[in-house]
Amino acid sequence: MRHCRHVLFAIAALMGVTTSTAAPPSAPTALQGSAFTYQGELRQAGAPVTGNVDMTFALFDAAVGGNQVGPALSFTAAGGNAIPVASGVFTVALDFGTLAFNGPASSERYLRATVNGTTLSPRTKIESAPYALQAKTAEMAYSVDVPLLLSGTTTPTLNVISTGAGDPGNVNLSVASFFANNTTGVASAIRGETNTIFGNFGAAGMVGVSSGTGGAGGLFYSSNASGGGNALIAITEGTGRGIIVTSKKGVGLETSANTDGHSLYAWKPSFATGNVARLANFNNSNTSPVLQVTTTGTGPAARFEGNVQVTGLLSKGAGSFQIDHPLAPTEKYLYHSFVESPDMKNVYDGVATLDRRGEAWIELPDWFEALNETFRYQLTALGAPAPNLYVADEIAGNRFRIAGGRAGQRISWQVTGVRHDAYARAHRIPVEVDKPAAERGTYLYPEAQCADGTAEPDGRD
């Protein structure tokens, strides 16, 4: 609610007071306080009064009865501050406190004056001012000269409160509305800036808070359905984050798209380096996935176009390659399954030609034994039987020898080894593991278990 601080006052009372208007103040050089100037003309028996007069002023929220707002202000000779009156004219500064004129539009204020111990009646209603160079509070300003400067040494410098239901699509029902109405302009409707060395929570150019059980701390809405404007753009010139999202209980960030567009799209310009996205879990006791991707459709849950590097364990239900079919590349796909083993097993093979003694040395890479142990062998004669074919010398020095064949005979060989490099020794894959208590009674693939009759659906995810 806005009230005039330079009041046009009328007192019809004991001493026959008439009114006069205060001259417009000069441009303010300091912040507007809660005091305002009251000026009047005091007459007794029709003659202007001259001398010091005792007066007391009190502020009420009703013309009759009601509640007193703020303290009563007394100006008396005993107190050493009686009001001087010269040729009937007096001026006094009244200050009922910073909250005296706060409140909704329905709030009203009435001033009661007491002169030399006699209370005057009726009380005088304090009206709003049609024009003000400066106002402590304002219910509505139809026109404000720019630039508008709000400055203070305490927070909040600007406090806007509404008890209405509101409507985000109706500016007339918003607590505050800022509108940059220039279709060819680039001005912002609102700008917030903070200048501090601290980076903690709250030191922000703009803060939105939702203190109820619902609602949002901030809502950004691009309302033009035919436009291409963004609802929110966050830019940082320094090394900080463009956006930080934190949730103490719920989901930190949720995105959705009601069209064929992406719900989340992250990209880097051609001149930038570093990760496009990085997900990290810094809680060593957190056993939940850093990223969980789920789809209820028939398409893949994730697609990677390019090389993928995994530095930890990769677990899967099945695996294959998918390529364009070599015989019908535009019409079909070709799949092959992975070869699985309970061990971290590597497979090596080749074809050797036996020398004149029916033997051959198979030379392996110089890193073979540094990588592998627990070797297995398989020999197959090509073109003719070789019933006496055998491994004459097992692997040593990254080589092994086969013998027992005919001179010039070609032999297909295969060797497997189990990894024993440093990473493999530290991360052996367990073959059988009991499910955690929270997962017992559930399936990774319930549809498959139920389809082959080995389980019944229990309704749990």
Side-chain angles (χ1 to χ4, degrees):
M1 182 179 71
R2 189 183 75 173
H3 294 286
C4 177
R5 298 306 187 214
H6 297 276
V7 180
L8 181 62
F9 217 127
I11 303 178
L14 175 71
M15 305 184 74
V17 178
T18 59
T19 64
S20 64
T21 304
S26 59
T29 58
L31 293 179
Q32 177 68 41
S34 56
F36 61 91
T37 300
Y38 155 52
Q39 186 180 73
E41 184 178 9
L42 192 61
R43 291 177 178 271
Q44 183 176 22
V49 174
T50 296
N52 294 331
V53 179
D54 291 352
M55 291 188 183
T56 299
F57 299 90
L59 193 65
F60 289 83
D61 60 7
V64 177
N67 301 303
Q68 183 174 326
V69 179
L73 306 178
S74 295
F75 304 86
T76 64
N81 62 342
I83 298 176
V85 182
S87 301
V89 177
F90 65 91
T91 301
V92 63
L94 302 177
D95 189 350
F96 295 100
T98 58
L99 302 179
F101 294 97
N102 286 353
S106 58
S107 296
E108 294 182 339
R109 296 292 182 264
Y110 294 84
L111 189 63
R112 185 187 71 183
T114 300
V115 179
N116 286 342
T118 300
T119 299
L120 307 186
S121 182
R123 299 170 185 171
T124 301
K125 182 178 181 181
I126 300 179
E127 302 286 357
S128 59
Y131 173 80
L133 293 176
Q134 192 176 29
K136 180 69 176 178
T137 60
E139 178 182 322
M140 177 175 290
Y142 291 93
S143 161
V144 179
D145 290 338
V146 291
L148 172 64
L149 176 63
L150 301 176
S151 178
T153 57
T154 60
T155 56
T157 301
L158 174 63
N159 191 19
V160 182
I161 300 174
S162 173
T163 59
D167 181 355
N170 187 341
V171 297
N172 294 322
L173 297 180
S174 300
V175 176
S177 179
F178 301 85
F179 185 23
N181 187 17
N182 188 338
T183 58
T184 61
V186 294
S188 300
I190 186 171
R191 178 180 182 270
E193 179 177 348
T194 184
N195 183 8
T196 178
I197 62 173
F198 298 105
N200 56 303
F201 177 78
M206 184 180 298
V207 175
V209 177
S210 175
S211 58
T213 57
L219 173 63
F220 300 88
Y221 178 36
S222 180
S223 61
N224 190 335
S226 61
N230 300 300
L232 174 64
I233 298 177
I235 300 174
T236 178
E237 297 286 354
T239 58
R241 274 64 169 171
I243 294 179
I244 295 179
V245 180
T246 301
S247 175
K248 293 185 177 180
K249 294 183 179 180
V251 178
L253 176 65
E254 178 178 339
T255 69
S256 64
N258 295 332
T259 64
D260 294 336
H262 302 289
S263 294
L264 179 63
Y265 179 52
W267 61 282
K268 276 284 190 75
S270 59
F271 55 82
T273 59
N275 299 323
V276 174
R278 181 174 182 265
L279 307 176
N281 171 32
F282 296 107
N283 185 351
N284 293 333
S285 62
N286 183 4
T287 60
S288 299
V290 174
L291 175 65
Q292 179 171 328
V293 182
T294 304
T295 180
T296 58
T298 57
R303 182 188 300 275
F304 299 90
E305 297 182 6
N307 298 329
V308 178
Q309 180 177 347
V310 180
T311 58
L313 176 65
L314 176 64
S315 299
K316 55 186 176 52
S320 71
F321 74 67
Q322 177 194 25
I323 63 172
D324 296 323
H325 197 291
L327 301 182
T330 63
E331 305 297 330
K332 296 181 180 180
Y333 292 115
L334 182 66
Y335 293 87
H336 271 33
S337 295
F338 294 164
V339 176
E340 311 285 356
S341 169
D343 298 314
M344 301 173 75
K345 185 166 288 190
N346 295 319
V347 180
Y348 306 87
D349 59 18
V351 176
T353 301
L354 303 182
D355 60 16
R356 60 185 178 81
R357 292 177 294 187
E359 300 177 355
W361 281 97
I362 308 301
E363 301 290 341
L364 300 168
D366 57 3
W367 42 258
F368 186 86
E369 288 181 90
L371 176 64
N372 297 288
E373 63 180 4
T374 314
F375 307 117
R376 301 290 184 267
Y377 307 86
Q378 183 171 324
L379 304 176
T380 303
L382 302 179
N388 297 321
L389 193 64
Y390 67 101
V391 175
D393 293 295
E394 295 191 47
I395 294 172
N398 299 311
R399 64 196 302 233
F400 71 97
R401 183 171 65 95
I402 58 178
R406 293 182 294 106
Q409 191 171 20
R410 298 172 67 241
I411 304 298
S412 173
W413 60 268
Q414 184 182 84
V415 172
T416 65
V418 177
R419 286 177 54 186
H420 72 147
D421 57 278
Y423 185 88
R425 292 196 305 270
H427 301 88
R428 289 298 179 194
I429 299 175
V431 179
E432 293 181 296
V433 177
D434 291 333
K435 289 184 176 182
E439 298 178 11
R440 293 180 183 176
T442 65
Y443 306 97
L444 287 174
Y445 314 104
E447 296 83 359
Q449 296 284 355
C450 295
D452 66 7
T454 60
E456 292 292 333
D458 62 1
R460 286 186 284 180
D461 292 334

